């Protein structure tokens, strides 16, 4: 069952602009992760934020987590053409090996 | 560097055939996963394994079985392929509760 839902479904931006996408989930979590998928390929892990963390940075990526609203956001700053991909949030519940993925946000960065 | 490999990138099979998808990881991870990915539905977990010879059903196990005889190898079996099993199949592995590492995917077409 899908635990996370990303919003928007698709996003088109100009190179150099920032891209923001959101993820909402339903039950309490142990951590939330963001993945990137280039067309027709496997997923690549980007960043993991634990339930007791509010914000995390990795290079041009910034992730926030609001457990009271059961939501997270991923910000990509100064986007590049290589950032064109689908982005998925995945939630991990406590005492559970599984990740539950959303349907993803497709980001297109125009040159 | 972490590596998860899948036996085929593209596969075409006929309805009723038995299909084997193989996944190998070189990271000594305990956990391995099989997902299918369909447009608009995100990733859905078929089966996962948390140790050799151990397996648990995911969200959509019907029509599939798995085998894990060695720690590094996790096989997905379609006992009698059907057209509704045409999909992208992704294998992943992980250590404990952390991020998952994905293979490149197998795009299976059942005709």
């Amino acid at each position: 069952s899908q635990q996370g839902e990303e919003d928007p479904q698709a996003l088109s931006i100009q190179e150099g602009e920032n891209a923001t996408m959101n993820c909402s989930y339903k039950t309490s979590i142990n951590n939330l992760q963001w993945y990137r998928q280039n067309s027709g390929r496997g997923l690549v892990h980007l960043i993991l934020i634990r339930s007791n963390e509010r914000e995390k940075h990795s290079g041009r990526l910034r992730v926030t987590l609001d457990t009271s609203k059961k939501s997270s956001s991923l910000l990509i700053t100064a986007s590049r053409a290589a950032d064109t991909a689908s982005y998925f949030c995945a939630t991990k519940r406590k005492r559970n090996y599984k990740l539950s993925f959303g349907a993803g946000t497709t980001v297109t960065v125009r040159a | 560097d972490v590596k998860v490999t899948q036996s085929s990138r593209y596969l075409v099979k006929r309805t009723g055939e038995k299909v084997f998808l193989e996944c190998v990881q070189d990271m000594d991870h305990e956990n391995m996963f099989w997902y299918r990915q369909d447009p608009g539905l995100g990733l859905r977990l078929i089966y996962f394994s948390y140790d050799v010879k151990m397996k648990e059903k995911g969200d959509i196990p019907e029509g599939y079985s798995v085998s894990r005889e060695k720690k590094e190898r996790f096989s997905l079996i379609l006992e009698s392929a059907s057209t509704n099993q045409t999909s992208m199949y992704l294998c992943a592995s992980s250590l404990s509760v952390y991020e998952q590492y994905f293979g490149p995917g197998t795009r299976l077409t059942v005709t």
Side-chain angles (χ1 to χ4, degrees):
Chain A
S1 58
Q2 277 181 289
Q3 155 84 310
E5 291 188 13
E6 291 92 343
D7 171 60
Q9 286 187 318
L11 187 57
S12 180
I13 55 173
Q14 203 73 31
E15 206 165 21
E17 292 180 340
N18 295 343
T20 300
M21 60 211 86
N22 303 296
C23 171
S24 59
Y25 58 92
K26 295 171 185 165
T27 62
S28 61
I29 59 172
N30 175 275
N31 66 60
L32 185 144
Q33 304 174 28
W34 285 91
Y35 289 80
R36 184 188 74 232
Q37 183 181 36
N38 292 94
S39 180
R41 311 293 295 185
L43 278 71
V44 174
H45 179 261
L46 294 176
I47 197 163
L48 180 155
I49 186 164
R50 293 183 172 81
S51 59
N52 61 354
E53 296 176 313
R54 291 297 164 257
E55 189 170 311
K56 208 159 180 182
H57 296 254
S58 176
R60 293 183 297 112
L61 305 179
R62 174 178 165 252
V63 168
T64 63
L65 179 64
D66 187 335
T67 53
S68 67
K69 294 182 179 176
K70 291 188 169 59
S71 68
S72 173
S73 68
L74 171 67
L75 168 69
I76 305 171
T77 59
S79 63
R80 304 167 181 167
D83 295 328
T84 293
S86 292
Y87 293 82
F88 295 87
C89 72
T91 53
K92 190 200 165 301
R93 299 182 204 177
K94 296 175 185 179
R95 292 182 294 279
N96 195 317
Y97 295 105
K98 300 187 288 185
L99 287 179
S100 295
F101 286 83
T105 293
T106 300
V107 174
T108 303
V109 181
R110 305 186 307 272
Chain B
D1 207 14
V2 162
K3 200 155 185 186
V4 179
T5 57
Q6 295 183 229
S7 50
S8 308
R9 288 299 317 279
Y10 299 95
L11 208 53
V12 179
K13 294 291 181 181
R14 293 196 180 277
T15 301
E17 277 193 85
K18 191 168 186 175
V19 181
F20 292 87
L21 302 181
E22 299 269 297
C23 175
V24 178
Q25 50 98 359
D26 65 358
M27 298 159 284
D28 204 35
H29 285 171
E30 299 102 348
N31 306 317
M32 296 188 74
F33 307 82
W34 274 107
Y35 296 89
R36 64 176 282 176
Q37 183 179 23
D38 301 288
L41 296 178
L43 275 72
R44 293 180 291 167
L45 182 64
I46 304 171
Y47 266 97
F48 71 101
S49 168
Y50 50 89
D51 201 351
V52 175
K53 296 192 188 297
M54 307 301 286
K55 61 187 179 186
E56 277 199 32
K57 293 179 180 179
D59 300 318
I60 51 163
E62 297 78 19
Y64 303 94
S65 63
V66 290
S67 171
R68 192 163 180 205
E69 297 296 318
K70 293 185 178 181
K71 192 175 187 180
E72 67 270 18
R73 191 179 297 269
F74 192 34
S75 302
L76 179 69
I77 303 150
L78 286 66
E79 296 289 343
S80 178
S82 64
T83 54
N84 62 12
Q85 292 178 310
T86 291
S87 187
M88 170 75 115
Y89 289 87
L90 292 163
C91 173
S93 72
S94 78
L95 187 64
S96 187
V97 301
Y98 301 115
E99 65 266 30
Q100 292 185 11
Y101 294 87
F102 283 81
T106 296
R107 190 167 293 280
L108 172 68
T109 303
V110 182
T111 61

